[in-house]
């Protein structure tokens, strides 16, 4: 939209000037060229999302289109959905090896290769989108993230956030911690480890298998994303109990990954365009998720065949205790995980103290009768 109001040359110059003044012109700290050139760059981006997947795949494609417009066609990025060029969960490896220049996914998908990367995605009972953006952009989180990815020759950028997710769809009521015993639930990552500690049975399933598994009672419950995507997938037809909040994913960061060598090949003005386009799309995607979830929640609330309810307090308290134990155990096994965990916790403590005053006390005010 900005491009329709201002000349492209002004945009490029403004972005480069702005980024230089902020000291963020090159995340790899290896500036190769401070001037512009007329060379055209044609890159590939692979994602972890299905073709046409709302908000996430659409956001990656919008990001690429914006860069083409802002660069006057000097940087063209062709976007491939998961499975179209490479398997969805091989995005990080493809970018690391330079098979493609860019990727889009979320850091917890690479937990097997980089366990500490999960802190740059989401952790149970962790920070929401507001806290994560604050940590990444202004609290040292992004610098630490880039340091963690440096050995893989990958440069990460925040590019979207799901916001607080829902707790999931269950085919039975959850009234106490005892109801988690033996519960077969589709839930990945650290959330799955926490559920296992609580006596449940975490199951790993691809998104395409979630509905059929729940409908056929192969699993007892599943988490997906939020009201918008859950309603589109029709999960309300497979289970009747919809619980909140999404304790396992309170603010999942989506990431843009760029191959380091490819990044260093770009002139400074194109680096500036990519950096600022990523930051803009990070905001746009989160805003879109919040709006669409709010609308979809009203649709789901109007249904008489489902119940939407909070998890009981004792269930959430138990899951929170087990989450803290899980993170501490993982940190004890892995020095890199421990380092990121400590940095995350230090910022989270400050953020929570401020949020208690700035947000929670405000939201808890009851209207006068």
């Amino acid at each position: 939209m900005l491009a329709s109001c201002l000349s492209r040359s002004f945009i490029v110059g403004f972005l480069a000037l702005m980024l230089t003044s902020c000291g963020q012109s090159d995340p790899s700290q290896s500036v190769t060229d401070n001037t512009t050139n007329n060379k055209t760059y044609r890159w590939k981006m692979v994602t972890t999302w299905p073709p046409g997947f709302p908000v996430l795949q659409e956001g990656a494609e919008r990001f690429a289109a914006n860069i083409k417009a802002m660069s006057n066609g000097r940087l063209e990025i062709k976007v491939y959905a998961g499975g179209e060029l490479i398997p969805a969960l091989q995005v990080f490896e493809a970018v690391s090896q330079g098979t493609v220049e860019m990727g889009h996914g979320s850091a917890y998908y690479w937990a097997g290769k980089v366990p500490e990367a999960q802190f740059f995605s989401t952790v149970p009972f962790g920070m929401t989108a507001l806290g994560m953006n604050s940590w990444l952009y202004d609290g040292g989180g992004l610098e630490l993230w880039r340091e963690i990815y440096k050995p893989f020759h990958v440069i990460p950028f925040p590019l979207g956030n799901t916001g607080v997710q829902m707790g999931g769809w269950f085919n039975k009521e959850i009234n106490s911690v005892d109801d988690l015993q033996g519960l077969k639930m589709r839930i990945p990552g650290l959330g799955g480890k926490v559920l296992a500690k609580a006596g449940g049975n975490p199951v790993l399933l691809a998104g395409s298998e979630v509905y059929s598994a729940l409908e056929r009672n192969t699993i007892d419950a599943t988490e997906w994303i939020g009201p918008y995507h859950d309603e589109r997938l029709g999960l309300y037809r497979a289970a009747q109990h919809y619980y909140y909040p999404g304790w396992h994913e309170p603010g999942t960061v989506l990431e843009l990954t760029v191959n380091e060598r490819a990044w260093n090949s770009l002139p400074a003005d194109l680096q500036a365009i990519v950096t600022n386009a990523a930051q803009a799309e990070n905001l746009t995607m989160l805003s879109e998720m919040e709006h669409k979830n709010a609308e979809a929640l009203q649709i789901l609330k109007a249904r008489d065949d489902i119940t939407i309810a909070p998890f009981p307090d004792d269930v959430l308290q138990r899951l929170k205790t087990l989450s803290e134990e899980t993170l501490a155990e993982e940190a004890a096994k892995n020095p890199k995980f421990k380092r990121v965990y400590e940095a995350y916790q230090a910022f989270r403590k400050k953020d929570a103290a401020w949020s208690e005053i700035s947000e929670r006390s405000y939201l808890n005010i009851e209207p006068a009768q």
Side-chain angles (χ1 to χ4, degrees):
M1 184 171 291
L2 183 63
S4 66
C5 303
L6 302 175
S7 70
R8 291 189 176 93
S9 60
F10 177 81
I11 293 171
V12 171
F14 173 76
L15 289 173
L17 177 61
M18 181 175 67
L19 205 57
T20 301
S21 67
C22 293
Q24 299 177 357
S25 59
D26 189 349
S28 72
Q29 297 181 2
S30 176
V31 177
T32 59
D33 184 7
N34 287 322
T35 63
T36 62
N37 62 43
N38 293 321
K39 180 179 177 181
T40 297
Y41 297 81
R42 292 184 172 86
W43 284 11
K44 298 182 182 71
M45 174 196 284
V46 291
T47 81
T48 59
W49 322 120
F53 194 60
V55 185
L56 283 67
Q57 179 68 17
E58 291 173 350
E61 293 172 355
R62 181 172 53 222
F63 165 75
N66 286 340
I67 286 179
K68 181 177 180 180
M70 294 166 71
S71 68
N72 198 20
R74 290 169 50 231
L75 177 54
E76 294 186 21
I77 302 167
K78 184 172 178 55
V79 182
Y80 296 87
E84 288 184 337
L85 190 61
I86 63 165
L89 296 184
Q90 291 183 19
V91 167
F92 185 87
E93 185 177 6
V95 176
S96 176
Q97 295 177 350
T99 305
V100 296
E101 291 83 7
M102 283 182 165
H104 190 247
S106 193
Y108 61 7
Y109 289 141
W110 342 124
K113 183 183 292 288
V114 197
E116 56 275 15
Q118 293 173 94
F119 287 100
F120 306 107
S121 176
T122 190
V123 294
F125 293 96
M127 289 187 283
T128 63
L130 183 60
M132 285 301 296
N133 279 338
S134 180
W135 181 48
L136 293 174
Y137 286 128
D138 201 55
L142 186 54
E143 291 80 5
L144 181 57
W145 191 3
R146 286 172 175 162
E147 181 182 335
I148 293 299
Y149 277 15
K150 180 73 173 176
F152 302 96
H153 309 292
V154 172
I155 299 170
F157 299 76
L159 190 73
N161 195 300
T162 67
V164 181
Q165 297 193 11
M166 288 291 282
W169 294 86
F170 295 73
N171 60 19
K172 69 174 185 177
E173 291 186 24
I174 303 297
N175 295 313
S176 69
V177 175
D178 292 339
D179 291 322
L180 300 178
Q181 298 297 315
L183 183 80
K184 293 180 293 184
M185 181 175 183
R186 185 268 184 189
I187 180 171
L190 291 168
K193 291 185 177 183
V194 173
L195 179 67
K197 270 183 167 288
N201 296 320
V203 178
L204 297 179
L205 289 175
S208 59
E209 303 173 41
V210 168
Y211 178 85
S212 59
L214 189 60
E215 184 184 41
R216 297 170 185 172
N217 293 319
T218 305
I219 56 176
D220 304 311
T222 185
E223 58 79 41
W224 185 226
I225 302 178
Y228 176 64
H229 288 91
D230 291 6
E231 196 273 336
R232 284 179 62 95
L233 193 58
L235 292 176
Y236 58 86
R237 294 194 296 267
Q240 288 70 52
H241 304 285
Y242 197 25
Y243 283 97
Y244 64 88
W247 58 272
H248 61 298
E249 296 196 42
T252 308
V253 177
L254 310 177
E255 68 174 19
L256 167 71
T257 48
V258 184
N259 176 269
E260 185 178 30
R261 178 176 292 181
W263 175 262
N264 289 336
S265 74
L266 292 180
D269 67 317
L270 292 184
Q271 290 179 346
I273 287 174
V274 171
T275 300
N276 282 272
Q279 192 164 346
E281 187 56 44
N282 188 42
L283 171 62
T284 300
M285 227 183 279
L286 173 61
S287 302
E288 192 175 5
M289 285 294 299
E290 288 290 295
H291 180 217
K292 290 184 181 301
N293 278 335
E295 290 187 326
L297 180 62
Q298 298 307 309
I299 295 173
L300 291 170
K301 279 185 172 181
R303 300 191 64 87
D304 296 328
D305 53 347
I306 64 172
T307 60
I308 303 175
F311 285 114
D313 289 344
D314 65 324
V315 171
L316 286 176
Q317 187 57 58
R318 180 59 177 161
L319 290 171
K320 185 174 183 180
T321 298
L322 295 177
S323 295
E324 293 171 351
E325 291 178 6
T326 299
L327 292 174
E329 289 169 3
E330 294 296 315
K333 295 186 297 186
N334 183 336
K336 291 182 179 179
F337 190 100
K338 180 180 179 181
R339 181 176 172 229
V340 181
Y341 171 58
E342 290 176 346
Y344 180 95
Q345 287 291 78
F347 187 89
R348 179 185 175 190
K349 184 177 180 180
K350 292 187 296 183
D351 180 67
W354 168 237
S355 295
E356 190 68 36
I357 293 174
S358 66
E359 291 186 39
R360 294 190 183 96
S361 59
Y362 173 78
L363 294 173
N364 289 335
I365 296 174
E366 294 293 336
Q369 298 298 320

